């Protein structure tokens, strides 16, 4: 294969807005070179074994020069088959992608360029502002509000004003006063509408509406897209038609591209931040105990699962699922049952309440053997309860729960509208990552998780009526439609 560098537009932030081709390359990359404006949620899509090199330029801080970035891309391409240069937005719209392509081709390196959705269009769209609209604007123009080496913004302002086009300004927060004055001096009405969208599709996204005359005086945080013109006064408000529109929701369970809860919440319009408080790791013995138990699975009367992680770790070790023919399966929760069904394995016993106590209560008395693959550290309710009913229970470690480094700052974690705790272990992880943070709204999947939250001093808790993904989604939709103090 020919070694190459692929410049991939990451889009405005939301990982769902990267192109199919961009995602394909990201998953095949040997090394990924990222920008500062690449959302942390998108970085989660990069396989764990792939090296990530951050060359992001941060305002007001020492960072890689463009020449240094070019040299780094050339250097990496000499030792890797596929280098992905992941750039916020679109590589060729104020992304200096042209300079990088020029440098790479000059070094005889093969290049592929994948376009991305620019925030210049995504920002207005998510704010309900059409950059073109019949009777208001027949076109738009995108300009930068910050030139190299602080060169003056010497556009033909009169031409811009007289064109009637929608003006979209990127990187213009610091010079918004200069831009507004230049437009007014060129004849623009001070009452002309302005919409500014901060952190487009990020968790901290905010939309501000003002006028050209007041633009210099309102507080706007970078990065932001500033839209000026008649269409900036339009508010289509399409996002408000979705039940969770405008809500930022923090999911703490381990990241999964196809996470049923994350997908469902996005379908309802939420901005979902999958920043795990726990990670699932291999068992401490490398899986020896689990493998040994499964070699004699036909000696067990029951196989008990309380999580989808236990299901995946166990069934992935079984080469021929027909060996389970003589063993009954018990599980807790619809998510655990769904994990079984993905392997075409049924569940013989699932309690109506998705907690260990309910499983024990519904489990028959007996004198046979039960295999219980679970996390290394977990509650003893199930094994102790089944033992009390006469069963011989073998608890084997199927995985470990690890607390990773936090992916967000404490300020951002505290600013999110809802934090969803899907297991007691996510409470422990969250408290370890953010010891001083109290979430705005804490949502627990069930009473066990809620008790753990109370144990760490978080008392204002909403608990799902059904202890499942569906129950959580319904609870969040109810919260979004209820008064703020509900």
């Amino acid at each position: 294969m020919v070694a190459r560098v692929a410049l991939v537009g990451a889009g405005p932030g939301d990982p769902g807005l990267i192109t199919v081709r961009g995602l394909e390359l990201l998953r095949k990359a040997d090394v990924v070179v990222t920008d500062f404006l690449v959302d942390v949620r998108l970085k989660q899509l990069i396989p764990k074994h792939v090296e990530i090199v951050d060359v992001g330029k941060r305002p007001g801080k020492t960072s890689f020069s463009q020449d240094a970035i070019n040299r780094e891309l050339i250097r990496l391409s000499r030792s890797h088959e596929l280098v992905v240069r992941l750039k916020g937005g679109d590589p060729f719209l104020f992304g200096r992608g042209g300079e990088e392509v020029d440098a790479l081709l000059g070094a005889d390196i093969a290049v592929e360029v994948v376009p991305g959705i620019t925030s210049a269009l995504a920002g207005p769209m998510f704010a309900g502002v059409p950059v073109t609209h019949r009777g208001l604007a027949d076109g738009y123009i995108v300009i930068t509000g910050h030139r190299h080496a602080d060169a003056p913004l010497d556009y033909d302002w009169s031409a811009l004003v007289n064109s009637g086009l929608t003006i979209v300004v990127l990187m213009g927060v610091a010079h918004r006063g200069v831009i507004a004055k230049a437009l007014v001096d060129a004849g623009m009405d001070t009452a002309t509408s302005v919409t500014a969208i901060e952190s487009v599709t990020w968790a901290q996204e905010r939309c501000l509406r003002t006028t050209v005359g007041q633009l210099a005086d309102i507080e706007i945080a970078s990065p932001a897209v500033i839209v000026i013109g008649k269409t900036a006064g339009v508010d289509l408000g399409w996002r408000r038609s979705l039940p969770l529109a405008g809500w930022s929701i923090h999911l703490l369970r381990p990241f999964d591209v196809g996470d049923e809860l994350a997908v469902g919440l996005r379908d309802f319009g939420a901005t979902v931040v999958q920043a795990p408080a726990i990670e699932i790791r291999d068992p401490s013995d490398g899986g020896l105990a689990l493998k040994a138990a499964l070699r004699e699975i036909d000696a067990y009367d029951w196989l008990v699962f309380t999580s989808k992680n236990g299901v995946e770790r166990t069934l992935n070790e079984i080469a021929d699922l027909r060996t389970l023919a003589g063993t009954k399966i018990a599980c807790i929760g619809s998510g655990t049952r769904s994990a079984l069904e993905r392997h075409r394995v049924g569940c013989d016993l699932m309690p109506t309440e998705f907690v260990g106590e309910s499983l024990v209560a519904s489990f028959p008395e007996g004198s046979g053997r039960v295999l219980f693959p679970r996390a290394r550290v977990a509650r003893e309710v199930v094994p102790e309860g089944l033992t009390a009913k006469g069963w011989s229970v073998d608890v084997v470690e199927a995985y470990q729960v690890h607390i990773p480094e936090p992916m967000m700052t404490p300020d951002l974690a505290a600013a999110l509208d809802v934090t969803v705790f899907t297991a007691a272990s996510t409470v422990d992880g969250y408290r370890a990552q953010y010891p001083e943070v109290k979430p705005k709204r804490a949502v627990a999947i069930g009473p066990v998780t809620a008790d753990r939250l109370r144990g760490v001093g978080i008392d204002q808790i909403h608990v799902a009526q059904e202890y499942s993904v569906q129950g959580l989604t319904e609870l969040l939709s109810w919260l979004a439609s209820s008064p703020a103090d509900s």
Side-chain angles (χ1 to χ4, degrees), residues 108-149:
D108 292 324
I109 296 165
V111 177
E112 178 178 354
V113 181
V114 179
I117 297 175
T118 171
S119 62
L121 296 179
M125 184 192 71
F126 278 97
V129 173
V131 292
T132 65
H133 197 69
R134 189 184 296 267
L136 296 179
D138 295 328
Y140 68 93
I141 186 167
V142 182
I143 64 172
T144 178
H146 178 78
R147 282 186 167 168
H148 179 63

Side-chain angles (χ1 to χ4, degrees), residues 266-341:
R266 288 194 185 100
D267 286 346
F268 280 20
T271 298
V272 179
V273 181
Q274 291 174 270
I278 59 171
E279 285 180 349
I280 303 303
R281 292 190 172 181
D282 291 338
S284 57
D285 66 352
L288 293 177
L290 180 60
K291 289 181 173 71
L294 292 175
R295 280 196 292 269
E296 53 179 63
I297 189 63
D298 56 349
Y300 288 97
D301 299 280
W302 284 91
L303 180 56
V304 174
F305 295 109
T306 56
S307 73
K308 70 173 186 176
N309 294 311
V311 171
E312 297 298 339
R313 292 282 174 157
T314 301
L315 297 191
N316 286 339
E317 292 288 347
I318 301 176
D320 186 351
L321 292 175
R322 289 177 295 181
T323 59
L324 295 176
T327 305
K328 291 184 177 181
I329 309 290
C331 70
I332 295 178
S334 55
T336 307
R337 181 178 60 189
S338 295
L340 285 166
E341 290 172 349

